[in-house]
Amino acid sequence: MLLIVEGLLVTILLVVAYYKYSFRYWKRRNVPYVTPTIPWGNYPNAIKRKIHYGQQIVNIYHQMKKQGHRYFGIYQFFQPCFVPIDPKYLRLIMSKDFHCFYKRNFYYNAKDDPISAHLVSLNGDKWKKLRSKMTPTFTTGKIKMLFKIYLECGKILGSILEEHCQKGTPVNIKEMFSSFSTDVIVNCAFGLEVDFFKKAEFSKHSRKALDFDMVRSFVMYLGAVFPDLCRKLGFRQVAKSSADFFLDIVRNTVNYREKTNTTRNDFLQLLINLKNEKVDGEEFTIEEIAAQCFIFFLAGFETSATTMAFALFEIALNPAIYQKLMEEITVVMKKSRGEITYDAIKEMIYLHQIVEETLRKHSPVYFVTRLCTKDYHFPDSDVVLKEGSQVLIPIRGLHSDPEFFPDPEKFDPDRFHPDRRHEIDPYSYIPFGEGPRNCIGLRFGMMEIKTALVTVLRDYKFMVNPRTHVPVQPSPISLMYDAIGGLWLDCEKIST
Ligand code: HEM
C-alpha cells in the first residue's frame, strides 16, 4: 500500500515538474505569453465549460493586443502554441511561406478509422493530391448544377414557417436552418433524398461526431501531440458506430449506381468519376470517398446553418437593414419573374454584404491551426519557430478587433460595400481561412446561405422573440457557435 502511495506521489511530482518545465517554453524564447495553470494551461474555464472555448481565445487575444503585442504564446494543457495576430505574419504563415506551415495538427488514423482520413486532417502529399483532385468539384459550373437541390430542399423552410405562422409560435431558426442544410449536404454529398427517419439518423451521428466531451477532447489532444503512438494503439477519431453508418451509406449508394449504371448531378457522382479515372494512377477507394463525403457533411452543415441563422437574426434586429435588403430582393426578383435563380442570387450585392458581415461578427469557426514543418524565422522579430511548433490563427479575435473593424459589436454590412471592400486587410478578415488550405466549400456555402435567406425572406417577415437573449452570448457547452437559449424569431406571412 505504502509503495502504491509513494509511486503515486512520485508520478504526481514528475507530472508537475514536467508541466513547470513546459510552462517556461515561451519565456525561454522571449515570446510574450499568458500565464497558464496546471493542468489545463490557458483554457481552465473553457475545459470546465464555464466559457466557450473559442471565446476564451478571443478574450486572450484582446488582453494581449491591448498590451501592444503582435504575437504571443499560449499553452494547451502543457503544449505551447504560437498565436500570431499581426495580419502581416498571417499572410506569411497562410500563403507566402505556406510550405513551412502546410500541416494542420489534426489526428487521423487511416488504417483503423479510415473515415477520419479526410481533407481536413490529411497532410503532405496525400492532402495535396486529394485537394487537387477535389478542387474541380467546387467550381462555379458544378455549383450551378447543384442549385436545383438548394431550391428543392428549400421547400422544408416554407413548411416549417407555415406551421409556426398558423400556430403563432416562435421559430428556433438555428434548428430550422440545420434541417435545411442537412438536407442539402446529404443530398449533394451522399446522393440521398432524406426522409424524416434518415435525417434523424444523420443528426444523431453528426452530433456524436461533433460532441467533444472532456475524455474525447483529451484523446484528440493526445492524438495531435503523439499521433504515431496513438495510431499504433489504434485510437479512433470517429466513434465506430458513426463511422460504420457513413461508410455503409456511401458503399450502398456507390454499389447501386455502379450496378444500375445510374448517375446523378451531385458531389458523390464527381467522386465516383474520380475513382474510375484513377488520377495519378492511384485508385480512389470507397473508404476515401466516404471520408470526403463525411467531412463535406461535417464541415458544411453546421457552419452554413449557423451563418444563415445569425444573418436572419441580425436582419430581424435591424429594420433599416431589412428594408434595404427587401428593396433589393424585390427589384432583382421582378427581373427574374419571381423565380429564385442562380443569377438572381449573384445579382444581390447587399445580401452578399450582409452575409459577409455575419461571417465577421458571428464567424462560425473561431480559429484554425497550422503546424510549423520547418524552423521558421519571422522577419522583423527575434522569433524562431521550431519545426513541430503549433500555430493558432485567431479568426474571431481579428474579426472583433477595433483596429480592423471600428465599433466591432455593430452589425454594419456597409463595411463590405464594394466601394469600401478594398480597405479591409485580407488577412484581418478570414472566415473561410486563407491560402492553399482555405475552405474548399466557400462558394458552395455562400450560395447555399444566400439562397436560404432569400427563400424565407421572400414570403415571411421576422421579428425577434423575447425568448432570445440580446446581445447573444456563445453557449459554453457547445463545441460549435450557438447562442445561449437559442435564436427565436416570430414570423408573419407576407401577403402578396
Ligand atoms: C459558412 C460556411 C463555412 C465556413 C465559415 C467554413 C469555414 C472553414 C474554415 C475556416 C476552414 C479552415 C481553413 C484554413 O485552415 O485556412 C475550412 C476548411 C474546410 N471546409 Fe469549410 N466552411 C464553410 C462551409 C463549408 C462547406 C459547405 C463545405 C463542403 C461542402 C466545407 C468544406 C471544408 C473542407 C473540406 C475544408 C478543409 C480544406 C483543406 O484542408 O484543404 N466548408 N472551412
Side-chain angles (χ1 to χ4, degrees):
M1 183 67 185
L2 194 64
L3 218 61
I4 294 174
V5 174
E6 275 177 4
L8 212 65
L9 272 177
V10 170
T11 310
I12 291 172
L13 280 175
L14 282 175
V15 170
V16 170
Y18 185 69
Y19 259 100
K20 295 228 155 182
Y21 173 77
S22 302
F23 281 172
R24 283 199 294 273
Y25 184 88
W26 291 124
K27 195 169 185 194
R28 286 197 296 272
R29 276 162 183 75
N30 218 7
V31 169
Y33 62 98
V34 183
T35 310
T37 51
I38 297 173
W40 312 120
N42 287 116
Y43 301 111
N45 292 330
I47 305 274
K48 290 180 206 154
R49 306 254 167 135
K50 287 187 187 161
I51 179 173
H52 186 274
Y53 187 73
Q55 195 56 42
Q56 183 140 28
I57 295 169
V58 174
N59 295 351
I60 296 174
Y61 174 103
H62 289 294
Q63 178 192 339
M64 298 307 271
K65 176 86 186 214
K66 266 195 197 128
Q67 293 170 22
H69 301 302
R70 295 186 298 156
Y71 51 80
F72 55 87
I74 54 170
Y75 294 91
Q76 301 176 320
F77 295 92
F78 52 80
Q79 185 83 5
C81 177
F82 184 71
V83 188
I85 59 175
D86 184 334
K88 201 172 74 185
Y89 290 150
L90 296 173
R91 192 174 78 83
L92 296 176
I93 294 169
M94 300 178 98
S95 295
K96 186 169 172 291
D97 293 328
F98 176 73
H99 60 283
C100 302
F101 298 96
Y102 61 85
K103 285 189 177 178
R104 204 180 268 134
N105 203 16
F106 219 89
Y107 176 65
Y108 67 93
N109 184 346
K111 184 168 154 270
D112 302 302
D113 184 16
I115 210 158
S116 67
H118 46 63
L119 203 63
V120 169
S121 56
L122 285 173
N123 290 313
D125 266 0
K126 274 223 143 205
W127 166 79
K128 215 171 171 181
K129 274 191 191 153
L130 204 56
R131 174 97 189 192
S132 71
K133 273 187 201 178
M134 284 172 43
T135 300
T137 315
F138 289 91
T139 53
T140 307
K142 298 281 170 18
I143 291 164
K144 257 188 173 171
M145 199 175 85
L146 296 170
F147 192 74
K148 257 200 211 134
I149 296 182
Y150 299 165
L151 296 182
E152 197 49 41
C153 296
K155 289 181 185 157
I156 187 140
L157 297 170
S159 56
I160 293 174
L161 290 171
E162 191 62 45
E163 196 186 327
H164 281 279
C165 276
Q166 274 178 14
K167 286 191 193 152
T169 48
V171 195
N172 181 330
I173 54 168
K174 175 68 188 292
E175 269 180 20
M176 175 180 79
F177 284 125
S178 293
S179 178
F180 164 75
S181 73
T182 302
D183 284 1
V184 169
I185 206 89
V186 169
N187 224 298
C188 294
F190 292 92
L192 295 175
E193 284 178 22
V194 267
D195 58 30
F196 178 78
F197 296 103
K198 249 189 232 125
K199 182 134 89 192
E201 282 287 284
F202 268 98
S203 301
K204 183 178 101 186
H205 289 294
S206 63
R207 242 180 283 124
K208 230 171 159 180
L210 287 172
D211 181 22
F212 282 73
D213 57 21
M214 255 199 210
V215 176
R216 187 128 177 265
S217 305
F218 193 63
V219 170
M220 286 300 294
Y221 172 73
L222 286 181
V225 183
F226 309 110
D228 293 337
L229 176 69
C230 291
R231 271 179 210 128
K232 273 195 188 116
L233 293 173
F235 280 14
R236 307 180 63 91
Q237 192 220 70
V238 186
K240 186 158 177 357
S241 58
S242 297
D244 288 347
F245 169 78
F246 290 111
L247 265 167
D248 282 350
I249 284 195
V250 171
R251 219 176 262 136
N252 293 340
T253 316
V254 173
N255 283 343
Y256 174 80
R257 286 193 193 177
E258 288 187 339
K259 264 194 200 142
T260 55
N261 234 341
T262 31
T263 56
R264 190 172 180 265
N265 279 345
D266 55 23
F267 285 147
L268 183 62
Q269 191 61 44
L270 300 166
L271 295 170
I272 295 172
N273 297 347
L274 287 177
K275 174 175 169 281
N276 299 333
E277 276 165 28
K278 279 197 179 181
V279 181
D280 292 339
E282 268 184 48
E283 177 118 6
F284 201 34
T285 64
I286 291 271
E287 282 76 13
E288 281 176 314
I289 293 181
Q292 310 326 311
C293 295
F294 169 69
I295 201 61
F296 288 171
F297 176 64
L298 227 54
F301 103 92
E302 176 81 23
T303 44
S304 308
T306 302
T307 311
M308 293 167 203
F310 278 95
L312 191 63
F313 162 71
E314 290 286 0
I315 292 166
L317 199 61
N318 295 283
I321 292 174
Y322 171 73
Q323 203 57 40
K324 196 168 163 186
L325 175 62
M326 286 314 287
E327 278 163 24
E328 181 179 76
I329 293 180
T330 310
V331 170
V332 175
M333 296 283 285
K334 222 178 220 167
K335 280 199 255 171
S336 69
R337 294 191 199 85
E339 294 239 348
I340 302 179
T341 62
Y342 180 90
D343 293 326
I345 299 285
K346 270 278 185 212
E347 219 182 305
M348 296 180 190
I349 308 293
Y350 191 60
L351 173 65
H352 188 77
Q353 288 172 230
I354 289 177
V355 177
E356 287 210 295
E357 174 67 343
T358 307
L359 285 165
R360 178 197 68 81
K361 190 175 168 198
H362 300 288
S363 20
V365 181
Y366 270 79
F367 61 89
V368 290
T369 57
R370 295 285 187 272
L371 199 72
C372 178
T373 49
K374 206 188 237 181
D375 287 3
Y376 187 81
H377 181 197
F378 281 92
D380 319 330
S381 81
D382 322 327
V383 182
V384 178
L385 271 194
K386 290 269 164 220
E387 181 184 336
S389 300
Q390 299 199 40
V391 179
L392 184 148
I393 293 152
I395 298 179
R396 256 300 177 96
L398 293 153
H399 290 185
S400 57
D401 187 333
E403 182 189 334
F404 308 126
F405 300 98
D407 197 0
E409 281 310 302
K410 183 173 174 203
F411 186 81
D412 179 10
D414 285 333
R415 298 178 205 271
F416 293 92
H417 188 283
D419 293 344
R420 286 177 60 195
R421 186 70 171 75
H422 66 277
E423 290 167 18
I424 297 172
D425 184 324
Y427 288 84
S428 67
Y429 179 66
I430 45 172
F432 293 99
E434 252 304 339
R437 263 215 111 141
N438 75 345
C439 175
I440 200 168
L442 186 159
R443 272 183 274 179
F444 177 87
M446 283 301 269
M447 195 34 97
E448 182 195 356
I449 292 162
K450 291 192 279 186
T451 308
L453 289 172
V454 175
T455 304
V456 298
L457 285 163
R458 185 184 53 173
D459 298 329
Y460 297 89
K461 185 171 188 323
F462 297 89
M463 286 76 56
V464 178
N465 180 274
R467 263 179 93 168
T468 309
H469 301 273
V470 182
V472 287
Q473 292 294 330
S475 165
I477 53 169
S478 172
L479 176 77
M480 310 311 286
Y481 175 48
D482 277 314
I484 292 181
L487 295 175
W488 297 87
L489 300 186
D490 293 314
C491 59
E492 209 175 78
K493 184 133 191 173
I494 299 174
S495 45
T496 43

